[in-house]
Amino acid sequence: MPKIDEWDERREARMSDSATAMRRLVGYARPHLREFLVVVALVLVYIVTQVMQPWLVKIVIDQDLIVRHPHFRAVLTIGLLYLGITIIGLFANFTQNRKLQWMGQRIVRDIRNDLFTHIESLSMRFFDTHETGRLITNVSSDTNQVSQFFTSFLLSLIQDGASVLFVMGAMLLLDWRIALVSFVVIPVIVLISALFRKKLRDNYRYTRTRYSRLIGYTAENLGGMRITQIFHQHDKQMRQHTALNQRYTAGNINEYRWSVLFNRTFSALGNLSVALMMWVGGEAVLHRTIQVGVLYAFISYIQQFFNPINSLTQNWNTLQTSMISAERIGGVLLTEPEVVDPSDPVEIVPADARDPWGVKGEVRFDHVSFGYGPDQEVLHDISFSVPPQAFVGFVGETGAGKSTLMGLLTRFYDIQAGSITIDGIDVRDFRQADLHRLMAIVQQEVNLFSGTVADNIRLFRPDISDAVVREAAQTAGADAFIRALPGGYDAPIRAKGANLSLGQRQLLAFARALALNPKVLILDEATASLDSATEMILQEGLTRIAAGRTTLVIAHRLSTIREADVIYVMDHGRIIERGNHVELMAKGGYYARLVRQSAPTERLHQQA
Ligand SMILES: Nc1ncnc2c1ncn2[C@@H]1O[C@H](COP(=O)(O)OP(=O)(O)O)[C@@H](O)[C@H]1O
Ligand SMILES: [Mg+2]
């Protein structure tokens, strides 16, 4: 069998240990304890009916009720009894199965809900390091695997465990000597399953990792379909997909090979035991130490005995697979969000209805340093202060740290040194929900959700009225194109906004930000996808958009921030120049050079 990558091993090791994971999952079953007890009772009823059947036949045979001492009424009574217990058994089995499925489905629903909610609560760094595809596997198939623990494994443990005990009891009652001889097979069964168990589990683990890689790859690819097509990456992507698919297939085939081998070995063992019983029991019948009916019952029992043991070991594998899934889910559930709410958050007191926050919107960075990883600092000793309702610009080359700066203000990450305050209050002292309610951000990349245009502007918040939505769209300059859509504000957004142009999506994002009436508005290269004409419209609207709030603009085109109160010039994680356009031009430094370099294109834009 191919070895699991070292990387995966380490990954598994980092995850919570099985015991904690399992304890957590069993917690999900606790509310269903009463139903579970009913299930156990039904299982016991079913098993008793199963064990009684061979016994009834044995009575008929050993009393020789048909040939030597024909006794019609007795046979009829036993026959009816047999029928009766069969019906009871069926009923018990059916009800128990239905109840168990019902429980299992509810448990898995709860786990899936919690998992989703928890993932949503996690901090940005988690999403930096976890692929979406793998998370999708966690939420979809891992939760299903875990539900198997409740529906298959627990059921098997009770049903098969009790079956084995009852059958053993019945055998001992019938004839303890022959019973003891047949119990000899038990250690053999246990030994063989133990040998197979590790192999099956390793195989399973291997296949699972291959599977989530395949899914991850597929998800990533579907997300980047445009790129794939534009850059003619089909062949390369196909090759990679084929390789991943091949490894998954090989893993699967290997898994099935071992499990078939295991099953066949097991059933051969079962047949051997029946033969052994025929031999030992047959001898006993010949020597008249037992009756034929007893032998019949023994042979039935030994078969009844093998099925549950087989099922138990198979379900032992289910347990293993559920455990692996449980560990993976547990790993996610036990991941604490890195950015946490303070234990004693500041309360923001609403001033009035239109300005519900009583926050002025003064933003201050004080000696802030930050790195995404432990040993690579991205921002170095950043200090600046923006008065309430000011309009400030940030410029700098790609990778200078502009977006990072905004991510810190919104507290997507926590800083390593210094402080970031709003109205003098550290962002870490706000509830994240409050902090985010204070701010809105418009980025170059716009995420739209399934729903209508209006839903996407109000982001499904019922407290934002249609009038506010419309007003926001008007201010953003989105109203005209929205009304031209079939359905207008109620037009459905298809597949992440595929029915809208990039520019239209960006205007929607502007409207969305405005509908929230934020105190601090962040525009991160927000006009990059707009054509010059639209940008110009927005540019004129920018004063309206910025009115009454602090506006931080990362400029895509320098002309956007020409009127800014202050412009901060960033380079390699530092602010290297600051001042308004006139001052910076007069200084003749980095900014002046940037403006000169971009001048020809800017002029082109103005002409367009
Ligand atoms: N999520 C992230 N994880 C690790 N490094 C990042 C992440 N985001 C950005 N960086 C790094 O931080 C630096 C600054 O990036 P960014 O703030 O996006 O620059 P800008 O917005 O000015 O183009 C870059 O070197 C980039 O590689
Ligand atoms: Mg950026």
Side-chain angles (χ1 to χ4, degrees):
M1 202 203 84
K3 255 227 134 5
I4 300 168
D5 295 356
E6 220 180 65
W7 188 78
D8 286 321
E9 295 278 25
R10 260 186 287 130
R11 189 186 162 85
E12 300 276 4
R14 253 190 292 126
M15 301 224 160
S16 64
D17 57 315
S18 318
T20 326
M22 262 307 148
R23 213 171 308 127
R24 187 148 184 147
L25 292 178
V26 168
Y28 283 95
R30 207 156 290 141
H32 303 290
L33 188 63
R34 252 190 36 199
E35 278 119 345
F36 193 72
L37 291 179
V38 173
V39 168
V40 172
L42 288 169
V43 165
L44 292 181
V45 169
Y46 174 68
I47 290 167
V48 169
T49 64
Q50 294 306 99
V51 175
M52 274 171 77
Q53 285 173 355
W55 201 291
L56 287 176
V57 176
K58 171 210 162 266
I59 294 173
V60 176
I61 296 175
D62 284 350
Q63 307 293 317
D64 218 337
L65 293 178
I66 296 170
V67 181
R68 219 171 312 155
H69 319 285
H71 196 308
F72 178 71
R73 283 180 66 100
V75 175
L76 184 68
T77 315
I78 290 178
L80 287 176
L81 208 59
Y82 197 102
L83 183 68
I85 60 170
T86 306
I87 292 172
I88 293 175
L90 269 180
F91 174 78
N93 194 249
F94 172 77
T95 317
Q96 156 248 308
N97 261 307
R98 220 191 39 180
K99 275 201 174 302
L100 205 66
Q101 285 302 331
W102 187 90
M103 258 174 57
Q105 292 304 330
R106 261 162 189 69
I107 290 171
V108 78
R109 176 198 62 187
D110 293 345
I111 295 178
R112 205 176 278 136
N113 271 344
D114 281 5
L115 192 60
F116 185 76
T117 316
H118 188 76
I119 290 176
E120 296 260 300
S121 82
L122 289 174
S123 307
M124 281 306 150
R125 201 184 300 279
F126 178 82
F127 299 101
D128 287 346
T129 50
H130 288 71
E131 292 159 37
T132 314
R134 286 189 183 217
L135 291 177
I136 292 174
T137 326
N138 286 156
V139 178
S140 58
S141 59
D142 280 338
T143 45
N144 278 334
Q145 285 299 338
V146 165
S147 84
Q148 296 255 308
F149 170 82
F150 296 104
T151 50
S152 290
F153 176 75
L154 275 191
L155 174 66
S156 162
L157 195 66
I158 297 162
Q159 179 160 314
D160 299 326
S163 278
V164 170
L165 291 180
F166 273 67
V167 168
M168 281 169 81
M171 285 166 112
L172 283 170
L173 272 181
L174 273 177
D175 188 301
W176 64 270
R177 279 155 311 185
I178 297 184
L180 288 182
V181 173
S182 36
F183 293 165
V184 167
V185 295
I186 295 178
V188 183
I189 298 174
V190 172
L191 188 74
I192 289 190
S193 341
L195 286 178
F196 272 95
R197 203 181 296 143
K198 194 183 151 3
K199 197 80 198 160
L200 290 167
R201 179 179 141 152
D202 286 351
N203 279 332
Y204 178 77
R205 219 183 256 256
Y206 177 83
T207 322
R208 290 299 300 178
T209 15
R210 295 303 135 203
Y211 179 67
S212 54
R213 285 227 173 134
L214 182 65
I215 294 291
Y217 186 78
T218 309
E220 213 174 275
N221 255 271
L222 292 180
M225 192 48 86
R226 269 161 201 274
I227 304 294
T228 309
Q229 299 205 339
I230 288 282
F231 289 98
H232 306 292
Q233 294 284 298
H234 289 294
D235 289 351
K236 196 173 132 260
Q237 308 284 42
M238 288 280 275
R239 270 200 305 280
Q240 278 193 32
H241 180 268
T242 310
L244 286 173
N245 198 7
Q246 180 56 38
R247 282 202 260 167
Y248 172 53
T249 309
N252 255 337
I253 291 175
N254 207 26
E255 196 181 324
Y256 279 107
R257 192 166 48 214
W258 279 97
S259 106
V260 167
L261 192 61
F262 176 60
N263 285 341
R264 290 307 99 207
T265 311
F266 216 84
S267 71
L269 202 63
N271 291 335
L272 276 177
S273 309
V274 172
L276 175 76
M277 184 51 56
M278 293 278 227
W279 180 35
V280 177
E283 197 118 318
V285 173
L286 285 180
H287 292 107
R288 301 204 174 275
T289 38
I290 60 168
Q291 287 172 288
V292 189
V294 175
L295 178 60
Y296 163 81
F298 257 102
I299 289 174
S300 300
Y301 281 142
I302 205 147
Q303 276 162 342
Q304 276 194 20
F305 183 64
F306 253 85
N307 285 340
I309 291 190
N310 190 10
S311 153
L312 265 178
T313 44
Q314 290 219 342
N315 273 289
W316 186 257
N317 295 330
T318 308
L319 175 68
Q320 301 296 322
T321 61
S322 312
M323 286 292 256
I324 293 172
S325 288
E327 281 170 36
R328 288 152 59 110
I329 294 179
V332 176
L333 281 179
L334 296 176
T335 305
E336 293 294 334
E338 204 172 82
V339 176
V340 288
D341 280 343
S343 50
D344 185 21
V346 283
E347 296 299 334
I348 311 179
V349 191
D352 65 72
R354 191 63 191 138
D355 178 20
W357 297 102
V359 169
K360 292 200 281 299
E362 187 230 5
V363 173
R364 183 194 290 273
F365 275 59
D366 199 20
H367 298 291
V368 170
S369 294
F370 170 76
Y372 288 98
D375 34 44
Q376 146 240 24
E377 212 178 72
V378 171
L379 293 179
H380 322 279
D381 195 26
I382 300 273
S383 293
F384 65 88
S385 155
V386 182
Q389 310 199 357
F391 181 101
V392 299
F394 292 84
V395 295
E397 282 173 20
T398 300
K402 305 178 299 292
S403 300
T404 303
L405 206 65
M406 301 308 160
L408 296 182
L409 180 57
T410 52
R411 217 186 155 208
F412 286 154
Y413 303 88
D414 272 339
I415 52 179
Q416 276 107 29
S419 71
I420 301 173
T421 58
I422 293 177
D423 284 14
I425 303 167
D426 196 299
V427 288
R428 285 168 290 201
D429 290 337
F430 288 99
R431 278 188 205 94
Q432 290 174 78
D434 288 346
L435 185 67
H436 294 155
R437 183 67 184 79
L438 285 173
M439 315 185 175
I441 186 162
V442 184
Q443 288 166 310
Q444 186 178 351
E445 199 182 312
V446 180
N447 284 313
L448 296 175
F449 302 91
S450 340
T452 65
V453 169
D455 289 338
N456 269 280
I457 293 177
R458 65 161 65 94
L459 271 185
F460 305 95
R461 295 174 55 121
D463 55 317
I464 296 180
S465 70
D466 284 346
V468 171
V469 166
R470 219 161 273 255
E471 195 191 312
Q474 269 159 5
T475 313
D479 184 61
F481 94 81
I482 293 173
R483 275 190 297 154
L485 290 174
Y489 280 86
D490 293 326
I493 299 282
R494 269 188 279 124
K496 296 196 286 180
N499 52 339
L500 299 175
S501 79
L502 277 182
Q504 289 172 331
R505 277 183 246 170
Q506 216 151 40
L507 292 182
L508 272 193
F510 270 102
R512 176 190 285 171
L514 293 176
L516 287 170
N517 189 26
K519 275 291 143 195
V520 179
L521 176 65
I522 301 167
L523 308 181
D524 187 348
E525 312 207 337
T527 56
S529 307
L530 297 181
D531 55 276
S532 314
T534 317
E535 195 192 5
M536 212 78 97
I537 299 174
L538 204 81
Q539 189 82 59
E540 283 157 22
L542 210 55
T543 24
R544 260 178 303 147
I545 290 173
R549 58 184 116 252
T550 310
T551 311
L552 312 176
V553 181
I554 296 177
H556 164 65
R557 294 189 190 110
L558 296 179
S559 58
T560 324
I561 50 158
R562 194 169 289 239
E563 308 300 325
D565 300 318
V566 187
I567 297 168
Y568 295 100
V569 185
M570 292 192 65
D571 185 37
H572 289 100
R574 293 177 202 283
I575 295 181
I576 55 167
E577 286 174 18
R578 57 184 84 197
N580 64 28
H581 177 72
V582 178
E583 290 161 3
L584 287 175
M585 286 310 284
K587 192 173 171 200
Y590 192 95
Y591 177 79
R593 209 162 51 245
L594 279 182
V595 171
R596 270 199 306 280
Q597 278 165 6
S598 64
T601 38
E602 296 271 317
R603 227 174 292 125
L604 271 182
H605 274 296
Q606 252 128 56
Q607 279 159 11

